[in-house]
Amino acid sequence: MSNKKPIELSPPHFNTAFNEKMLMEEPASILAAFEEEVRTYVGRPHAVAVHSGTSAIHLALKVLGIGKGDIVLCQSLTYAATAFPIMYEGAQPVFIDSEPDTGNMDPELLEKAILELAEKGQKPGAILLVHLYGMPAKMKEIIEIADHHGIPVVEDAAEALGAEYHNTRCGNFGKLSILSFNSNKVITSGGGGMLLTAERELAEKALYFATQAKDEGTVMNHREVGYNYRMNHVNAALGASQFTKLNERIRKRREIFEFYKQSLGSLPGISFLSEHPQTCSSRWLTTLFIDPSTSGGVTRSQVQEALTKENIESRPVWKPMHLQPVFKNCPAYINGVSERLFTQGLCLPSGSNLSPHNLERISSAIKNVFS
Ligand SMILES: *Cc1c(COP(=O)(O)O)cnc(C)c1O
């Protein structure tokens, strides 16, 4: 093992200016303050703070009434946390492959899936999409298809806080959207998530399920099964104190991407995902793609091994859900794109606290593999 100082992929970056006085407030006011900050930034009328992005996705499906046997059309190339909540409800994921421009849900395959299911008399209960590593998905096309067929969209914006698509912030699309404040995301509350929506009724329903499905009144009366998903006030206070730094954090992550692109972009066989007009990625993690047919024989694994030797963490792009053993029996609409991105893609350290010296260390380690 190398004795060089470790460099992590995306370690928590805390704003140390934490106002402890905030903790003296009523827990409910602390939660309301954090929710207010996030929903104002994203531009959505209602927000419910919960203890993870995963629980926010679960609640989104819950309030849409997704249950046993219902079909959810889910992006295949994502972190498993996107898809697991479909299983919690006994629903049926149908995975949709990616288009090559953004790595996100392919609108053409999505439509194909909807039409083929319609022929069998089946209508999906929801479309669950992701902005991979902070790169906005093709929202215009997807929303058009979803609206045309009357299928609600759930937007997993866990990696895309601060990203923009046609002047709308990610986290402000679909019937319901979710964010994560997990410790490796752009902003962390030490752990947490948020569910956002324009519809008051959905927000109230989500809050009800997140707080043990209690009926109104002082008697603890329950007609349905609930969850203990509400964010606690300590995490909310921490989240609010971090949120003031959001723009700085995004700027830093975008600068890190520019650095990698400048210093590695001319190596043979290397490419990055680039932004389309009127979109802005949060660049949560910079992802490098290495095409072995043009890289002079260099592979993704070789680059990863070279980084590991230098005590630098890197990680292959998410393994698509349709290739996961746990989902092996799920239907999938596949075009090969996500599998290619997975086999060629490597996520590089992108934390907003990464120093110029460490960026140089990473870039030289990669260049060495090519020389
Ligand atoms: C992190 C992440 C989640 C889950 O968020 P948690 O807060 O860790 O539960 C969901 N989807 C995607 C795409 C993520 O990256």
Side-chain angles (χ1 to χ4, degrees):
M1 198 61 203
S2 159
N3 55 8
K4 299 205 172 103
K5 280 225 176 87
I7 304 177
E8 291 170 65
L9 205 57
S10 182
H13 185 184
F14 278 111
N15 168 19
T16 50
F18 177 63
N19 176 6
E20 307 96 26
K21 276 209 207 99
M22 194 171 176
L23 288 175
M24 309 298 276
E25 309 235 345
E26 263 237 283
S29 326
I30 300 173
L31 280 160
F34 184 37
E35 286 167 344
E36 168 81 17
E37 225 168 331
V38 176
R39 64 169 196 77
T40 308
Y41 176 83
V42 170
R44 284 223 118 158
H46 305 284
V48 180
V50 290
H51 73 42
S52 68
T54 310
S55 51
I57 296 170
H58 186 196
L59 290 171
L61 299 177
K62 215 56 224 163
V63 301
L64 288 176
I66 303 289
K68 203 167 161 48
D70 288 339
I71 292 169
V72 177
L73 300 172
C74 179
Q75 181 162 328
S76 183
L77 189 56
T78 184
Y79 181 41
T82 308
F84 281 155
I86 304 170
M87 308 305 278
Y88 302 165
E89 287 305 316
Q92 172 67 64
V94 173
F95 293 112
I96 310 289
D97 213 325
S98 299
E99 39 80 17
D101 296 349
T102 71
N104 293 307
M105 186 181 274
D106 183 333
E108 282 177 25
L109 277 183
L110 171 69
E111 182 143 54
K112 183 171 181 233
I114 295 170
L115 294 175
E116 283 193 15
L117 287 165
E119 274 174 26
K120 291 190 242 166
Q122 293 176 312
K123 186 178 169 184
I127 294 166
L128 180 47
L129 64 86
V130 185
H131 309 294
L132 205 65
Y133 302 114
M135 180 67 78
K138 296 204 161 160
M139 292 313 299
K140 190 170 157 284
E141 291 86 343
I142 292 172
I143 298 272
E144 237 170 58
I145 294 165
D147 286 351
H148 180 74
H149 295 278
I151 304 169
V153 168
V154 175
E155 181 200 12
D156 177 352
E159 301 173 0
L161 177 60
E164 273 182 39
Y165 176 91
H166 296 219
N167 294 319
T168 299
R169 290 204 159 120
C170 289
N172 194 359
F173 288 97
K175 210 169 174 70
L176 296 134
S177 43
I178 75 98
L179 295 168
S180 165
F181 302 103
N182 176 333
S183 62
N184 68 8
K185 298 285 156 61
V186 171
I187 286 284
T188 181
S189 60
M194 211 171 279
L195 181 72
L196 298 126
T197 177
E199 296 175 42
R200 170 183 297 276
E201 248 177 68
L202 293 179
E204 283 172 354
K205 197 93 202 268
L207 182 60
Y208 159 83
F209 280 124
T211 52
Q212 310 283 26
K214 287 175 204 134
D215 278 347
E216 300 240 4
T218 51
V219 173
M220 285 294 177
N221 197 55
H222 307 269
R223 288 165 297 129
E224 287 176 283
V225 174
Y227 303 85
N228 183 9
Y229 277 175
R230 190 68 163 138
M231 183 183 275
N232 72 61
H233 65 288
V234 181
N235 287 124
L238 198 53
S241 70
Q242 304 308 307
F243 212 73
T244 56
K245 296 279 182 189
L246 177 59
N247 289 337
E248 250 174 72
R249 302 287 188 254
I250 307 259
R251 191 171 353 106
K252 193 62 210 283
R253 293 214 185 229
R254 291 178 57 80
E255 277 170 21
I256 289 168
F257 168 78
E258 285 304 327
F259 170 85
Y260 284 131
K261 199 177 154 195
Q262 291 296 321
S263 77
L264 306 171
S266 55
L267 294 172
I270 281 213
S271 65
F272 299 90
L273 288 182
S274 46
E275 290 163 328
H276 282 250
Q278 294 189 66
T279 70
C280 173
S281 169
S282 67
R283 296 288 181 195
W284 173 53
L285 296 182
T286 290
T287 314
L288 178 81
F289 296 92
I290 303 162
D291 181 349
S293 67
T294 50
S295 65
V298 174
T299 64
R300 190 268 305 275
S301 316
Q302 284 172 351
V303 173
Q304 186 173 24
E305 275 162 33
L307 290 170
T308 306
K309 275 203 193 111
E310 297 294 316
N311 218 358
I312 298 165
E313 187 185 8
S314 63
R315 189 201 284 144
V317 159
W318 302 128
K319 181 173 179 177
M321 294 305 111
H322 73 271
L323 300 177
Q324 298 286 359
V326 65
F327 293 123
K328 67 175 185 295
N329 296 323
C330 296
Y333 286 77
I334 298 310
N335 58 14
V337 172
S338 68
E339 187 163 357
R340 173 175 60 79
L341 296 176
F342 161 60
T343 50
Q344 299 186 355
L346 190 66
C347 301
L348 300 178
S350 306
S352 44
N353 42 9
L354 200 53
S355 69
H357 169 74
N358 280 343
L359 275 171
E360 287 295 345
R361 264 178 68 196
I362 300 161
S363 135
S364 337
I366 296 173
K367 283 180 188 155
N368 276 341
V369 185
F370 283 82
S371 62

